[in-house]
Amino acid sequence: MEAVQLLAQKSCAVLSFAINSLLIQLILFRSPKGIGMYKFLMVYISVFELIYAFLGLMVQPDFLSHSSVFLVIARTDRLGIPLWMIRIVNTMFRSMFGMSMAMFTLHFIYRYFVIIGSPLVKMDSISKVCIWFLSPIIYGFLWGVILISTLGPNESTNKILKETFFQKNRITIDQVTYIGPNYYTTDHNGTETFNWTVFGGMSVIITMVSISILTIVIFAYKSYKGVGVLLRESHHSDGYKTLQSQLLNMLVAQVSIPAILMHGPASFLFTGPIFHVANEFAGDFFCISVAVYPVLDPLPTMFMIQHYRQVVCRLVLKCV
């Protein structure tokens, strides 16, 4: 299974670089006029996914779901990167998971503001630029602080790793760094004690995720109602109305991909260990789905927006 995971991580990273680079070119140079400033937020997503794929290629993480733990493990023996650098890259990689939640939430809010004609979508001041571009970074930074302060390495987790992961992979504690919850600590007598620090950190993370999901649902609903009104009553051209509908459908499809591949499974994998419900195969599968995400996520933009789809089809026909 490890060979399949490594193949998926490396091949998906290369595909992600190619697809997202092409998409950035399409957005910058082939966007319809009606897309406005939103194209820069679309580029923002593509750049995010390029960085995410690059960090994933550097880390090539293992996901261990066993007993009371779910860990994201980074190893020095994969690319020969020093342990101190792997720690930083692994933390950044996991922080981008939180950043993606904030980023898609803001995109739904932005789409709604565009539909109702709010002046907030005009990036004519530093404060507006900060709201749309810096908020996800701040959100991701806070996510990383929570991970480091509450879900970092400890002796009880090291013991579980020695009994499972290290023996299987023939490595030592000096060759890995990891982040993730272990809901129980074990003393020298084998007595388990509930880890309230981990529970507190996970509670904050789950609250952040829940707020993001609730906000997405609310603004997706409001946006669909707004598009309905726009199509019936607006004085805008038919082309503009069609584009707004395509952009909203694209965004729904785009946010569904990480929800299905990452956010949904992660919710189970992060909370299951509290009941000692863990599945190693689920952790292996999650490793592959995380690698596939930056490859699939740009596709709705490329094929659901008519202008981009036409250019891609022409490129394919030329190659054929």
Side-chain angles (χ1 to χ4, degrees):
M1 190 65 178
E2 182 181 1
V4 175
Q5 292 173 5
L6 288 173
L7 177 62
Q9 289 169 339
K10 293 175 181 178
S11 58
C12 286
V14 174
L15 286 172
S16 176
F17 294 153
I19 293 172
N20 279 288
S21 297
L22 172 60
L23 181 56
I24 290 172
Q25 297 297 313
L26 291 173
I27 295 170
L28 290 176
F29 302 111
R30 297 289 183 172
S31 290
K33 292 181 179 179
I35 208 165
M37 299 299 292
Y38 185 58
K39 69 179 182 181
F40 296 110
L41 284 177
M42 294 169 67
V43 170
Y44 189 29
I45 288 183
S46 293
V47 171
F48 166 85
E49 289 170 355
L50 281 172
I51 296 172
Y52 180 88
F54 176 72
L55 293 177
L57 185 61
M58 287 186 67
V59 175
Q60 297 179 26
D62 291 297
F63 294 84
L64 177 65
S65 179
H66 178 82
S67 185
S68 62
V69 305
F70 176 64
L71 306 176
V72 184
I73 304 172
R75 301 160 49 171
T76 60
D77 63 327
R78 288 275 164 83
L79 292 179
I81 299 174
L83 187 61
W84 66 267
M85 186 180 295
I86 282 288
R87 287 196 183 102
I88 296 172
V89 175
N90 193 34
T91 303
M92 292 174 63
F93 181 69
R94 297 316 311 146
S95 297
M96 293 190 81
F97 182 91
M99 184 178 169
S100 68
M101 294 294 300
M103 187 168 57
F104 285 114
T105 301
L106 281 177
H107 276 249
F108 272 99
I109 296 172
Y110 186 93
R111 290 270 21 107
Y112 174 68
F113 284 164
V114 167
I115 291 166
I116 66 173
S118 171
L120 288 174
V121 299
K122 297 179 180 179
M123 299 184 193
D124 52 4
S125 68
I126 296 297
S127 59
K128 290 180 183 178
V129 173
C130 288
I131 290 173
W132 299 118
F133 289 94
L134 292 184
S135 295
I137 297 174
I138 295 171
Y139 193 95
F141 175 78
L142 293 175
W143 188 283
V145 170
I146 295 167
L147 292 180
I148 293 172
S149 59
T150 64
L151 307 181
N154 58 68
E155 287 302 319
S156 293
T157 307
N158 289 348
K159 184 178 179 181
I160 292 175
L161 285 171
K162 288 175 183 177
E163 295 171 353
T164 56
F165 188 80
F166 292 162
Q167 290 184 2
K168 177 182 176 182
N169 293 277
R170 297 180 181 178
I171 55 177
T172 66
I173 188 64
D174 297 326
Q175 294 174 284
V176 304
T177 182
Y178 61 86
I179 293 175
N182 179 6
Y183 290 97
Y184 298 92
T185 58
T186 306
D187 61 20
H188 61 281
N189 295 319
T191 303
E192 284 189 341
T193 304
F194 192 71
N195 193 329
W196 287 101
T197 300
V198 168
F199 180 77
M202 287 304 304
S203 297
V204 174
I205 286 175
I206 291 171
T207 300
M208 293 170 72
V209 171
S210 300
I211 291 172
S212 294
I213 293 173
L214 181 61
T215 305
I216 287 173
V217 170
I218 290 172
F219 278 91
Y221 174 73
K222 291 168 73 72
S223 295
Y224 267 109
K225 287 189 66 178
V227 165
V229 173
L230 184 73
L231 294 177
R232 291 192 307 270
E233 304 174 5
S234 174
H235 63 279
H236 290 290
S237 67
D238 291 341
Y240 179 84
K241 295 176 183 179
T242 301
L243 177 61
Q244 296 307 316
S245 180
Q246 289 175 353
L247 287 170
L248 182 57
N249 291 332
M250 171 212 75
L251 188 55
V252 171
Q254 198 171 28
V255 80
S256 297
I257 291 171
I260 294 170
L261 292 179
M262 297 197 308
H263 302 143
S267 298
F268 167 75
L269 290 168
F270 274 114
T271 57
I274 196 172
F275 307 106
H276 285 282
V277 177
N279 186 294
E280 292 191 21
F281 176 77
D284 294 337
F285 178 79
F286 186 67
C287 179
I288 296 173
S289 68
V290 166
V292 170
Y293 153 68
V295 176
L296 297 183
D297 205 52
L299 299 183
T301 306
M302 295 179 72
F303 293 104
M304 295 181 73
I305 305 300
Q306 184 180 3
H307 288 71
Y308 303 151
R309 183 173 65 248
Q310 290 172 344
V311 174
V312 172
C313 289
R314 285 199 296 267
L315 287 173
V316 172
L317 289 175
K318 285 182 179 179
C319 292
V320 174

